[in-house]
Amino acid sequence: MDNNQALPKKKKSLVPKIIIIILCVIIALPILMVGLSFIGRVAPDSVFPEEFYLYVSVPDTMRLVKNVVRHEALPDIMALSELAPLISVFNQIRNSGVTENRLVRMLAGQRLKAAILPEERMLAVWDTGILSPLLRVLPTVAKRLNVPGLSYVQERGRSRFEFRLDDGGVFFIGNHRNLLVFSNSLAVFESVVNDATRSGGAGPGTFHSRNYDIALLLSPHALLNILESGETDPQMLSALSLLEFSGKVEVSLSVMPNQLNLNLLAPLGTGNDDLRRIIERNSRVAPLLSIVPWDAQYMTLLAAGNLQELLDGVSAISHGTPAGVELETTMRRANSAARMTLRMSLDELLFSWTGSQFAVYGLEGRPHPVFAVEIADEAKRREVFDRAFRTVFLSENIRLNLDGNRIPRIQVPGFLNALLSLLGADIPSPFYAVHNNYLLISESAESLLAAINAIRRNEVLPRQELWRTLSQDRTGPSSIILFYSLDRSLPFFLRGNNEMTAILRLYRQGLVRVSLENSVLNLTLSIIPGVGGGIVPVPGYPIDLTSPGRGTPGNRLLAVSPGRNPRLLVTRGRDVLSINPLDRSIRELRDFGSPHATLYTIPKTLRHPAAGEVWVVDSFGHVNLVNRDMESAHGFPISTGIRLSAAPEAWGEKLFLSSEDGSVYTVDNRATVSLWKSFSSALRSPPSFLNFNNRTFVGIYPKDIIFGEIFILDGTGNPLPNWPIHAPGIAFGSPLLFSARYPGTQARFFAAFITQAGVLTVYTEAAEKLPGFPLELDGVFFLQPVFDGENLWIIESEGTLYHITLNGEVFSQKVPRLSVREEGYIMVSDNELFFTGAGNALHGYSLHFNSLYGFPLPVWGRPVIGDIFGSREREVAGVGMDNRLYMWQFRQERRR
């Protein structure tokens, strides 16, 4: 071998070159896609026509989804029956972690715009951003998909997808440059995808809100349609009919983990002079806010005008309505009465010295609110008060002195109180004080003193942490401020029974601000979810109980066999429904008893309550004993021939039937009918029972034409010594029997009885009146009291709730918008009070006069409250006037 022969050169490795090429491709492809995505880009707003009913803007779709699934109240909202089918979808999104994936958020976090157009047409576009080059290959990929109802269509060289719905509707889907387009109208769809010259328009309008998750623009026509189709307050509809919207109404929403912020902007105008004076006045800072104590649970502050202007505005809104006629009549009579008795007109008596700021607020643990009125002219106020008190028609009591503070009390004349009542102020004999140019008024001297002391210590609402959270430190001009806690108050916009109000009531505390600037209304609503106790809807409820031709459900709900196999019972015409609350299945007992008879269901008192047997009785004396599945027991049904004078009752495994002839019969589980006791007059209410110290006590009130008698019997029907006694007046219901530890004694038997006229008496076993009784309560009473273990509670016909101790002390509070007649119901459950009246509202109160969070509920009559499912949690179930069965669960207290 030639040593000088050159050796072959080694081949260079290709691996580094391949790696470099791959890296270049990896880097270049995204850059290329981003570059291509900017070519011919179209702004989503520019493809929408200027005319629309509703326009929706979502600046970042993934941010909206992330904020929604992280929202604290989402599980409670999804429990509503209308939204329950979506629970699994949101749970999958939450558990997948897709909202936390940076790549997904970068790719999918793009703008979404949608609009509802005239003729029920819809258009939506999604800006695909840097993914827009992939839209070109979408048809190729989608052709391989086998999606029911989805087809690919190519016409005149333009491709699209069509998705056909079961109801015959069609959605057209395609792309236009960087936009993915959806529409239910082919004409609208083609107007977007076939217009290659469209670009950079201003769109439907510019949003003034900032940092929102979703925003809407509504045409005035669409807004009015939405409000009129729901359960909107009639006064609000009347106000809207007088207003003119000079442009689109903007609504924006921001979703945070434990808070929602909503903002509404609306340009306003009106042809009514009285409203124009309010609308065209720019809002100013309300100094009155700085004297509201920081333990206020609710507050309404008005700074929209002076008292005369506010009354003129209310009169304009309610003109021609019964409320308007009442206001005008009351104003005219009040002015005439003031001139006659006080020698002053209303203008001098009220309007001459009052300013333009008014507030009402309630303090923690105190049932009576405090009213605050700005004094514009203190010298004039003193002059008016001095002149008024010198007459015989207005008196001032200055004898009360609390903690060194003299607190005067006024006896307001009837004509003036009637006027104030129309404005929501019911203060017939208030205490008052003047502090820092404000007149403070309250029915409670203690509430008034607490308010004054808080002002002196500078413990005021703007310094409260909750207030700062809701207001976000905004203390700017406001014409109206509404601060609420659902434990104590229910704002007017939450009184409906639609889906939106049901969602809003899940948020316990909120703050509403309304300001006006250059005739543009700006309304902000900040709300936080419930903290502490409260209720949440049970998934799957409400359920419809109607059936064609079967009548309507009754309003008395009963429960049997709580636990593993519970049932809820309710009548429906001549039928009895047995509802399994676990799976919502319904068994029926159909066409029982006589036509046109009243039907009753009563759980049978058994040693083994799990058997779940139920008495079914009609008012003509037909009796059946059925199990939870509506199957009759042996020997039933039977006809007793008894014409019932009162509802039946069950005790000690027997059914008690009150007859029109004054007799009381029993029926046992062997279908044996026996005479138990006869009275000179018929019972109009069933007997009341109590087991105490191994003895049975029975309370009876045979209602006579004049007064009647009260009987306390033993279990065999024999009167106790010293009974019966004459009733102190005509009454409804039977005596309440209860046992209590009377001060200084062991537990004893008592009977309480209230007449229709309000005479309340508590008797001992020996028919002696307890010291301090009888009491004469104001009002008319259709229900007997209930006992909470220590005190008595009574609800009066016009909504006054009374709390009476066994020492004869009386406390009361007026429940707004409540009327109670014989069909009402009151009960105590787990140291809480529940009652219904003539309307579709179940009220819940603590034993400290505080309304329970989430109440009132849209049910009437007798509810069921307790552990229905056997889950060691309490539920509340009831029938609404819409013939649906509702159910909620009391949740455990949560802390932040």
Side-chain angles (χ1 to χ4, degrees), residues 29 64 85 133 352 391 564-565 649 654 756 777 828 887 889:
L29 276 179
L64 173 62
S352 64
T391 69
R564 295 183 178 180
N565 203 4
E649 187 58 275
K654 289 184 178 181
Q756 184 177 359
L777 306 180
V828 174
M887 189 178 298
Q889 186 173 74

Side-chain angles (χ1 to χ4, degrees), residues 811-829:
F811 305 89
S812 66
Q813 177 172 312
K814 184 74 165 60
V815 180
R817 298 170 298 280
L818 178 64
S819 175
V820 181
R821 298 296 184 268
E822 288 182 86
E823 70 275 10
Y825 187 77
I826 183 170
M827 67 180 295
V828 174
S829 173

Side-chain angles (χ1 to χ4, degrees), residues 677 679 698-702 709-713 719 723-725 735 737:
K677 186 72 177 177
F679 300 93
V698 187
I700 300 283
Y701 170 54
E709 295 178 303
I710 302 173
F711 289 78
I712 303 298
L713 314 173
W723 296 90
I725 61 173
L737 310 183

Side-chain angles (χ1 to χ4, degrees), residues 753-808:
F753 189 76
I754 189 168
T755 67
Q756 184 177 359
V759 178
L760 172 66
T761 311
V762 178
Y763 301 95
T764 67
E765 182 179 333
E768 298 172 343
K769 298 175 183 177
L770 209 59
F773 293 89
L775 297 171
E776 293 187 7
L777 306 180
D778 292 334
V780 178
F781 297 81
F782 291 90
L783 302 180
Q784 289 297 319
V786 294
F787 187 64
D788 67 11
E790 294 183 2
N791 305 292
L792 295 168
W793 293 84
I794 309 173
I795 189 73
E796 185 265 340
S797 63
E798 297 304 318
T800 300
L801 179 62
Y802 285 97
H803 166 205
I804 299 99
T805 71
L806 295 184
N807 291 324

Side-chain angles (χ1 to χ4, degrees), residues 353-426:
W353 56 270
T354 54
S356 59
Q357 298 179 76
F358 309 88
V360 56
Y361 54 85
L363 303 181
E364 185 177 1
R366 302 184 184 277
H368 295 288
V370 176
F371 296 84
V373 179
E374 181 188 22
I375 301 172
D377 188 338
E378 172 59 15
K380 185 64 178 178
R381 184 203 66 80
R382 284 198 302 268
E383 176 190 341
V384 168
F385 275 42
D386 289 343
R387 288 176 57 188
F389 290 139
R390 283 199 297 266
T391 69
V392 297
F393 299 98
L394 189 64
S395 60
E396 181 184 35
N397 186 330
I398 60 175
R399 290 179 296 177
L400 181 64
N401 191 295
L402 288 180
D403 294 343
N405 296 272
R406 183 177 65 85
I407 303 181
R409 188 169 198 173
I410 309 173
Q411 187 63 45
V412 177
F415 71 85
L416 187 56
N417 194 54
L419 176 59
L420 295 176
S421 296
L422 289 178
L423 301 176
D426 187 14

Side-chain angles (χ1 to χ4, degrees), residues 519-537:
S519 297
V520 175
L521 179 143
N522 184 359
L523 181 151
T524 61
L525 169 64
S526 297
I527 51 180
I528 59 176
V531 180
I535 56 170
V536 292

